Amino acid sequence: MHHTGYKPDTVVVIGAGNAMDSALQKGLQKVGFRVQLLSAEQFIEGGLPEGVRPIIVNAASCAGGIRMPEAKAVCHALLNQSCHAILHLSSYGVFGHVGSRKIDEDAEPDPLSERGRDWFACEQTLTSLDNVSILRLGWQVDRSEQALLGRIIRSLLDGRAVSLDDASLGNPVTVSDLVRVVVAITQQLASGAPTSGLYHYGSADTCTAMDFGHEVVDRMRSLNGDDFTAELTVLEPAEKDRSYVLACVRLRDVFGIQQRSWRQGLTRQVELWLERLQKPAS
């Protein structure tokens, strides 16, 4: 096997049980890492494989609200593991109402929702370790069928109207862009970069859910024909501004990672979801 020069050259991915898992595994393998994918349950029960001191990419918290008890248990289990570094994937959800201002890495978390408190509890569990990097992500649009992209496409294929927020801004993250960022960070962690830090990542351009929905419809029309019809309706405006836009300066300064537009690769993402949702049941 060609020697990559990574030290270590092994990565353990603790999965979310959704589309992120195989994408992370393939992305890391593509650049030469030896990768082992473990479910949250496998890691909680068995810990790390014997004889390795890897980099751990912990995506367990990205499984969604129903799996947060397992995500918390993973974080507690990580306290007793010997590894080179941990890259823990977190969320903008650790913040409360912040309005239109950008959220930088020095902002104090103040989660208002139960899920936000779960995200923050995971972070707090790991802060006692000196080799943890926390990567807070913008709004993840396509990690599962319950995320926005899958919900929009499924509803439109079923001929149902989709109601979307047209007021609150975010800088969303697609799975493909998340993989790009995680792979770049992991490569640098294995090449001498600092193994602890707090970082934010979201797309270079902001949008509302409605903006995103219109772009998805455009892609569906390009794939299914101009006669494709879709109805997008506006949700009633919220009493408070629910915008969450992450500033991502520290990630650029430490790792040199630039933000990309969420529109990049969107056509391919729509195509993959259409293939999945239109595939005949076997």
Side-chain angles (χ1 to χ4, degrees), residues 2 6 25-27 32-33 40 45 53 56 71 79 86 107 113 128 133 135 150 155 180 200 221 223 235 250 263:
H2 176 67
Y6 300 139
Q25 183 178 30
K26 291 175 182 176
F33 283 108
E45 293 174 7
R53 193 170 180 270
I56 297 175
L79 299 178
I86 299 168
S113 67
S128 63
S133 296
L135 179 63
S155 296
R180 175 185 71 90
H200 288 173
R221 284 194 176 123
L223 295 167
L235 281 174
R250 189 174 294 168
R263 292 174 174 83

Side-chain angles (χ1 to χ4, degrees), residues 145 148-164 213 217 220 228-233 277:
E145 292 191 18
L148 185 61
L149 180 58
R151 288 191 288 112
I152 290 174
I153 293 176
R154 187 188 303 107
S155 296
L156 296 180
L157 290 177
D158 291 343
R160 293 182 280 118
V162 183
S163 296
L164 300 171
V217 170
M220 292 179 71
F228 175 79
T229 58
E231 183 180 357
L232 303 179
T233 61
L277 295 175

